[in-house]
Amino acid sequence: MIEERIDNLEIKIAYMEDFINQIQEVAVQQAKDIELLKTENKILSQRLKDVMENAGADIPNRKPPHY
């Protein structure tokens, strides 16, 4: 009886360890993805700023035609 309970607990622990490892892999991948997105966002923000500065005088400040 006790051996069966111990076996069941060991099985549960093994599943939990596997699950924790899977979660850790996902968390690491998400951290990498977030860093990549931050870098891309910074690059795009800088490009947008550059475009706005260069084209600021060329774009008139008026309402779109549908107004």
Side-chain angles (χ1 to χ4, degrees):
M1 181 76 160
I2 291 179
E3 287 183 26
E4 185 179 331
R5 290 179 68 190
I6 290 173
D7 288 342
N8 287 338
L9 289 173
E10 288 176 343
I11 291 169
K12 286 182 182 182
I13 289 171
Y15 279 116
M16 291 170 81
E17 287 176 342
D18 182 56
F19 182 68
I20 289 169
N21 288 334
Q22 290 176 11
I23 290 175
Q24 184 176 7
E25 289 175 15
V26 169
V28 168
Q29 184 59 47
Q30 286 179 344
K32 289 178 184 178
D33 292 344
I34 288 170
E35 286 303 315
L36 178 64
L37 289 170
K38 284 181 180 179
T39 303
E40 288 177 355
N41 188 20
K42 184 182 265 188
I43 291 168
L44 290 173
S45 293
Q46 185 61 44
R47 284 185 184 173
L48 180 61
K49 182 179 177 185
D50 292 344
V51 167
M52 295 295 284
E53 287 175 356
N54 292 335
D58 298 339
I59 301 173
N61 189 8
R62 62 181 178 198
K63 291 183 181 180
H66 62 276
Y67 278 98

